[in-house]
Amino acid sequence: MAKKQDKKHADSASDKAILDFGKAQNYTPAPESTGHIRLKKQYELFINGTWVKPSKGVYFDSVSPSTEQVLARVAEAGAEDVDKAVKAARKAYTEVWSKMPARERGKYIFRIARIIQERARELAVIESMDGGKPIRESRDVDVPLAANHFFYYAGWADKLEYAFPGKTPESLGVAGQIIPWNFPLLMAAWKIAPALACGNTVVLKPAETTSLTALKLAEIIEESGLPAGVVNIVTGAGATGAAIVNHPDIDKIAFTGSTEVGKIIQKAIAGTGKKLTLELGGKAANIIFEDAALDQAVEGIVNGIFFNQGHVCCAGSRLFVQEGVAEKVIRKLTDRMASLIVGDPLDKNTDVGAINSAEQLKKIQEYLKIGVAEGAEIYQPTCSIPTKGNFCKPTLFLHASQSHRIVQEEIFGPVLAIQTFRTVEEVIEKANNTPYGLSAGVWTDKGSKIFNLTSKLKAGVVWANTYNKFDPTAPFGGYRESGFGREGGLHGLLPYLKLS
Amino acid sequence: MAETRKKTTAKAVVSVNGAAPKTTRLNVLKTYKIFINGQFPRTESGRYYPLALKNGQTVNVCLSSRKDVRNSVTVAREAQEKWAGRSGLNRSQILYRIAEMLETRREQFIDELQSCGETLAQAERELNASVDRLVYYAGWCDKYTALFGTVNPVASSHFNFSTCEAMGVVTVVAPEESGLLGLISAVAPIIAGGNTCIVLASEKMPLSAVSFAEVLATSDVPAGVINILTGQRKELLAHLSNHMDVNAVYLHSKDKAEHTLVEELAALNIKRSVCEYVADWFDAKEENPYRIQQFLETKTTWHPVGI
């Protein structure tokens, strides 16, 4: 079945992609130099302001998903190490951070923001090497947003009483934070900045495939002079995360990752009194109406699903096109996809970089098979992909239906399932027919339709005539099984405070 | 600064008397000029007033004219839309940059505050508070709309929201008794909100204001956003209040008659006027987002919700 469909895919590619530039599209490579960066061969754990060897002496490799080279060896924190980090965070909280005037706390966070800006290029290059995302994205999105997030929350540190009139905001204590591999530095910023601004100390664990920029952030934190123990960064995999979640002296858990793990965490901390925020999976509907500016909408579809190889919890992975323009939109979309460049994440021409890990690539490939087996029609452009490293062509599934697994389940890759609809009521029904509720997109030239949909879509973020926009001032987070709590904006303070 | 001049003069005298000078180098003295459109002209009137410093030295300070006020209003008006159009984040970073630049020049400011009569401890305290106040308002630039803006639950089928916008061009009569902290406390919230301004510095303590203009000139503040004049309050108060292309006026004064004058002249074109007297600018209560809000307009937008 799969073999037959592969052949069909080749046929549909030549049928559909009118704009096939062939070799004329081959850009001269424009790779970003890696000469400017400083990477150590081995990274220890950042605990209490110093670099500490893991108690069990275990290390793991951080591998580039594009070159498959080992970039550095990273310490694996065991339960003893996590305990050490929590103790350091508790001590720093009790003795220093909770006593420091809010204004001074803010000034440390401003410093961190400034040093990130100063070292932006190094961080962007390492992010792309370690995680596989195109340098254009790490340079123009991840790193500046991370710096801005610190800058934004720095300003809140001495203004908290204005955010919650009539209440006295107080810090919680020690926050345990577990972040994913899709936006490694940015997620660290989303977690650490509001926690510190609200007066908490932090134990943060980056994802095991993307530890490096979090460790560079630890260096930056050292450089900023932040008191020892206020931020501790422990590297490792699921077991390290579990040790954080289950540590009795942690007051708050913030987790970004899969809904599956989110449920385990929510259950694990039940009854402990720990405060929790979860930012989990998504299966966002991106809805194109007949009256939309179609060329813009096509750009939005591409950005919605192929940004960061589709490793985005809010990716617009379900496309709903109104019937009258479906053919046109799909033609424009396949034309546009023919010009996407898949390849070296460090190349400034690259649109779609490397899949973050071999494991994730395998999962995506399984979904491609499932989609075909379920009867959807697969389309991929004829572009070449590197033979080495984890790469996946941008993929569409036409004629998908609500019951398909590729429509119901989060793939977390560059795979778009396309359905059509006739009426507003129908598309709202279909869009909301998912356990998730993180985000949605609406494309129409009619403002009243936008506001009608924003009020009816069960999603924490709705983008109208745009997609995948993020800003430190804008709250982000989900409905339903996409989690609870918001990150960003005034709302993003609440998860790190108790109001009395 | 002034002390340097004193030393230099002493050396020059020795030299004239024929004794071999220990050093031949003569210090270069600073001319205190005004700040309009990012540049440092002298007043167009060519006038000055002598300012006696604590150490016995005298400096010549620009005695700005009505024409200087009018020139400043023109450039402030030109700069305003673009300044307000910058993102909150960008304004925030620029205010933070001002704080960075002020901090790095702390020795100069402490020296000048002392020459205007403060003790070392007072001058240090004022400088520290001034830097921190800039950082404080830097933090508000991308936040006040989240406090003062609203989504209004109207009973009809409309999406209705109110946002904040800058008033426009604001004239500022800065506190007379607090040459640096008072000036910054008055001006920072005004520009944080996207307004541009023309500031009349303290008449008795203008040195910090002029040096602060030098800080502004190296802080990525666009030309025309803050214009600083030195001169006589008595002469310029009416001109700052009656200009028809000014949207709001801020007066810091103890004198009730000055309040009345400004409020009456403001009525010419329905200027918003804020007249107050703050006894202690160090008081934490004097830094708050309502100082930004008082120079903001509220704009409400209606949009239908439906098919």
Side-chain angles (χ1 to χ4, degrees), chain B residues 31-43 62 64 68-69 71-73 75-76 98 183 187 197-201 209-230:
Chain B
T31 313
Y32 286 86
K33 300 203 280 185
I34 56 178
F35 185 57
I36 301 176
N37 206 25
Q39 294 176 319
F40 293 90
R42 292 191 178 79
T43 165
C62 287
S64 302
D68 292 319
V69 170
N71 289 345
S72 303
V73 171
V75 300
I98 303 174
L183 181 135
V187 168
C197 60
I198 299 95
V199 186
L200 178 61
V210 176
S211 296
F212 184 61
E214 293 157 16
V215 165
L216 296 174
T218 53
S219 302
D220 300 329
V221 180
V225 170
I226 304 178
N227 305 279
I228 299 179
L229 308 178
T230 53

Side-chain angles (χ1 to χ4, degrees), chain A residues 103-104 107 110-111 114 117 148 151-152 155-156 158-159 162-163 425 446-449 451-452 473 490, chain B residues 89 92-93 96-97 100 132-133 135-136 139-140 142-143 147 159 287-290 303-307:
Chain A
R103 175 190 302 274
E104 303 304 310
K107 288 200 298 202
F110 275 121
R111 275 197 194 178
R114 284 307 221 200
Q117 289 180 314
N148 294 351
F151 205 90
Y152 174 77
W156 270 122
D158 58 356
K159 302 174 177 68
Y162 293 102
E425 291 71 25
K446 206 160 178 210
S448 57
K449 208 185 272 174
F451 289 114
N452 184 35
T473 68
L490 188 155
Chain B
L89 170 72
S92 176
Q93 299 214 342
Y96 187 80
R97 180 74 177 161
E100 287 183 344
D132 288 354
R133 194 138 294 175
V135 172
Y136 177 82
W140 273 122
D142 52 7
K143 297 177 184 65
L147 290 196
F159 183 69
E287 57 175 24
N288 60 66
Y290 304 105
H303 194 294
V305 174
I307 299 302

Side-chain angles (χ1 to χ4, degrees), chain A residues 9-76:
Chain A
H9 134 231
D11 293 344
S12 8
S14 51
D15 289 352
K16 292 205 175 65
I18 294 168
L19 295 180
D20 190 345
F21 299 106
K23 281 183 185 164
Q25 190 195 310
N26 291 347
Y27 282 61
T28 309
E32 183 67 279
S33 158
T34 56
H36 180 64
I37 64 164
R38 295 159 200 264
L39 268 184
K40 288 187 257 181
K41 285 207 175 113
Q42 179 171 306
Y43 282 93
E44 313 299 344
L45 306 167
F46 185 66
I47 296 174
N48 205 28
T50 55
W51 297 89
V52 181
K53 289 196 181 300
S55 51
K56 290 230 166 77
V58 183
Y59 293 82
F60 60 94
D61 290 337
S62 202
V63 180
S64 159
S66 53
T67 65
E68 296 177 3
Q69 280 171 339
V70 175
L71 299 171
R73 266 156 53 90
V74 177
E76 186 179 304

Side-chain angles (χ1 to χ4, degrees), chain A residues 354-407:
Chain A
I355 301 302
N356 187 263
S357 64
E359 191 192 351
Q360 184 61 23
L361 180 61
K362 204 174 138 208
K363 186 185 152 193
I364 295 167
Q365 283 164 343
E366 269 165 29
Y367 272 109
L368 296 187
K369 283 183 202 155
I370 290 167
V372 171
E374 283 176 324
E377 185 192 335
I378 191 171
Y379 166 77
Q380 291 178 321
T382 55
C383 67
S384 66
I385 59 173
T387 47
K388 202 172 184 188
N390 314 320
F391 290 92
C392 177
K393 285 186 178 183
T395 306
L396 305 182
F397 276 109
L398 305 169
H399 313 302
S401 73
Q402 286 292 96
S403 61
H404 286 169
R405 286 182 64 193
I406 52 165
V407 170

